[in-house]
Structure formats: C-alpha cells, structure tokens
Amino acid sequence: MRKTVRVAAIQAEPKWLRLSEGVEQVVELIGAAAASGARLVAFPETFLPGYPWWRWVDSNQWNVEYSTRCRENSMTRDGLEMRRITGAARDHGVHVVLGFGERQDRRIYMAQAVIDENGEIVSVRRKAGLNPIERKVFASGTPNLPAVRHGVIGRVGALSGQENQRPLLTRALRADEEQIHIAAWPGNPEGEAAGPDSAATVSRMYALEANAYVVAPCAVVGAAAWDRRGPQTGRGSGQARIYAAGGAEVVTPLAAGAEGILYADLEIGSAASDRREVELAARPRMRRGQQQAARTATPRRLGADRWAVPLMLGSGPGGLAAC
C-alpha cells in the first residue's frame, strides 16, 4: 500500500558547545518541522554539541580546552536533555533521528539516536570507525551492524558521516529492504568540494545502490564555530539534500550556508516491492544444500571494527564468500 510521508532535513548551525541552548534549538526545529507537516525530522551528525572542527587547528592548548568543553556539553542518552527532546517528538507525533555527543563517565561517543513518534528511543548507535581527528575527541563505539526500524512511516535506517561509505554497514541496511535512509553529515567549514567523497556524491550513490530515498541533513559551519579564536570562515558549508531511489534530487536544496529546513513528500510502499521482484528474477538458482549452508553460515571476524556473514553466491561448490 502506497503512502505519502513528509520528511524534513535540518540545515542549521549548531549552538557550538552550549548544550542547553542546543537542546532548545532542537526542540524548536522539531516543532517547526511538525507544524509544516513533517513526520520524520533528521538532524546532522553530532549536532549536539557540534562537530569538533577545532581539532583541525594546530593549537594544543586550544584543543585541550575545547575537548573539555565538548565533554561537559555532551549529554547522556537518558538524561534531562534527552528527555526534553523525546518529549518534543512525542508531543508533536514525529520521528526524530538525532546526532549527538553521548557522555558516559569521562568518555564521549559520536552517537545517533532514532526516536519514534511516541517519544521512545528505538536505538542509539555509537560510531565505531572514527577518523584520526575524531579519535582525538571521541571514543570508538562497540562495533555492531545497523538495523532498520520498521514503523508506521516505513522502514527507516540511519548512518553518520563516512559510515555511509562502508559496504559492510550499508549492506546490512539494504538487506532489510530499507525505504528511507538518513545520511547525516557535519558540514564543512571550507565548503563542500565536488568529488567522490563529498557528502552529496555519497548520498546520491547510496540512493542508487540501495534503491531507497536518502534524507541527508547537514550542519552549517560559520564563524561562530571557532569562538573568535581560530580561522574565520564564511557560511559556505555543505547543503542538506533529499534524493529519490534513482538518485535524482526530490527537491531543490537550500542555498549553501543558509539555515533552514528542507522538506520533501516521499511516496512509500512500491519501491521495495519492485526491487524485490527484480532481485528474485536476477538471483541465480541454488541447490537446497547450498541454501541451507547460506542460512547457517557462521559470522567471521574481519578486524577490530568489522564483522561479516559469508554470502553464498554462484552455483559452484561452496559458492563465494562476499565480505
């Protein structure tokens, strides 16, 4: 059965390292999106308390101070700040995907919470594969595969930043026939340059490969991110995007560096079934013994932050293990 779901991708500048102001900002954005009919609101990566762009500046004293402030202005998944946000989701009856710094003891993690329309936290994932700069501020999360949330608006999955380029993670979501994918991005103080690793390119490729809608919120990174101590930048950071399953943009993006909410009405219900029929038609036939082996294959460790279940492909003995 087809249904129309209005989604909202946030393109806004965080309240850098000011948690209480940031929570109020999130609550206001949820309310504004809901007032415009959105049923799903997606926020950029680590929107609370802001992605640590200051780590790119070569100043140890400044970095130590800001790392301390980042920890102090991160929140717990069950604290008062999170309850304010889940309460806003419940009051407005909207789903929320929020990127935030999760504090536990003296560690902070790059976390992404999925909140349903009843204000319940469906899941919180801690980003495991951090880049060298992120590891200077955040702890690595426990490696686990992402899961698709099956809810009233459809099948929704979410990843943060460069996770959207990791085949193991994206394959796990595609296997569950994801319909709406949230690809959260932190923006860029220098503006987004075109290229294979740009947020827009990665988001579009995800839409093509997964045959799913992609909602890609993106933060604005202005001069306020540097607290008047570091390099001054314009407001030319990345742009929020919303892509259809074929990779076409559903709606014209907001101007780069402008703050606002990008909306789109998505038709949910037919793309997954069409994809299933194509996959079944193209799938090679397997003998019963091979099918049983594929179902019972044992996961194998690929490294500190990677797991894979061997996939049985082809018709030869034993098939081919794809990781």
Side-chain angles (χ1 to χ4, degrees):
M1 178 178 179
R2 295 172 64 89
K3 56 188 172 185
T4 301
V5 175
R6 173 162 288 193
V7 297
I10 301 300
Q11 179 174 309
E13 182 159 14
K15 301 297 183 182
W16 304 100
L17 302 177
R18 301 193 302 276
L19 180 58
S20 59
E21 293 180 34
V23 170
E24 292 302 319
Q25 179 189 23
V26 168
V27 170
E28 290 176 5
L29 288 169
I30 291 173
S36 295
R39 301 185 64 190
L40 170 65
V41 187
F43 286 86
E45 181 177 22
T46 323
F47 193 70
L48 295 174
Y51 190 84
W53 290 113
W54 64 86
R55 289 299 322 195
W56 270 257
V57 178
D58 188 15
S59 172
N60 289 333
Q61 182 177 358
W62 192 36
N63 283 326
V64 169
E65 176 188 343
Y66 269 56
S67 294
T68 300
R69 288 176 57 187
C70 184
R71 182 171 58 252
E72 293 172 347
N73 284 274
S74 294
M75 63 184 187
T76 60
R77 67 177 65 185
D78 57 356
L80 177 62
E81 295 87 1
M82 182 61 84
R83 290 198 295 272
R84 285 272 291 126
I85 294 168
T86 57
R90 180 190 62 245
D91 293 344
H92 294 289
V94 298
H95 298 72
V96 175
V97 178
L98 175 69
F100 70 103
E102 181 188 358
R103 187 181 72 252
Q104 185 178 48
D105 300 324
R106 293 191 59 80
R107 295 184 177 182
I108 50 176
Y109 300 89
M110 301 182 75
Q112 191 177 39
V114 178
I115 305 166
D116 69 14
E117 75 280 10
N118 299 312
E120 298 293 330
I121 299 177
V122 176
S123 66
V124 177
R125 285 191 68 251
R126 292 172 172 175
K127 189 175 180 180
L130 309 184
N131 65 40
I133 297 297
E134 293 168 349
R135 286 198 294 269
K136 294 179 180 179
V137 180
F138 299 100
S140 180
T142 302
N144 55 25
L145 294 179
V148 171
R149 158 69 176 169
H150 293 236
V152 295
I153 62 173
R155 296 187 289 275
V156 180
L159 294 172
S160 291
Q162 68 267 30
E163 287 186 324
N164 292 283
Q165 295 173 278
R166 298 192 174 191
L168 183 65
L169 302 181
T170 60
R171 186 182 298 121
L173 296 177
R174 293 201 305 269
D176 204 9
E177 298 183 346
E178 185 183 33
Q179 294 173 312
I180 304 175
H181 177 73
I182 310 302
W185 299 98
N188 193 315
E190 303 299 330
E192 186 181 61
D197 294 327
S198 73
T201 301
V202 173
S203 299
R204 174 172 282 158
M205 289 303 300
Y206 193 104
L208 285 165
E209 293 175 358
N211 197 35
Y213 289 108
V214 172
V215 181
C218 189
V220 171
V221 187
W226 311 99
D227 195 26
R228 297 182 299 279
R229 301 193 200 184
Q232 299 300 303
T233 70
R235 297 168 66 88
S237 54
Q239 296 168 281
R241 300 291 213 288
I242 301 177
Y243 293 102
E249 292 194 82
V250 178
V251 63
T252 302
L254 302 172
E259 296 191 78
I261 304 176
L262 190 65
Y263 297 97
D265 294 321
L266 311 183
E267 294 293 328
I268 305 297
S270 61
S273 59
D274 292 345
R275 177 180 63 193
R276 182 67 173 169
E277 291 177 5
V278 171
E279 289 177 346
L280 288 174
R283 182 178 300 171
R285 292 184 178 274
M286 300 170 62
R287 298 186 183 93
R288 180 170 298 180
Q290 292 175 322
Q291 293 173 341
Q292 181 65 25
R295 286 193 294 268
T296 60
T298 303
R300 59 193 182 91
R301 191 76 176 263
L302 297 180
D305 63 346
R306 296 184 64 196
W307 289 86
V309 176
L311 303 179
M312 306 303 292
L313 305 177
S315 58
L320 172 68
C323 304

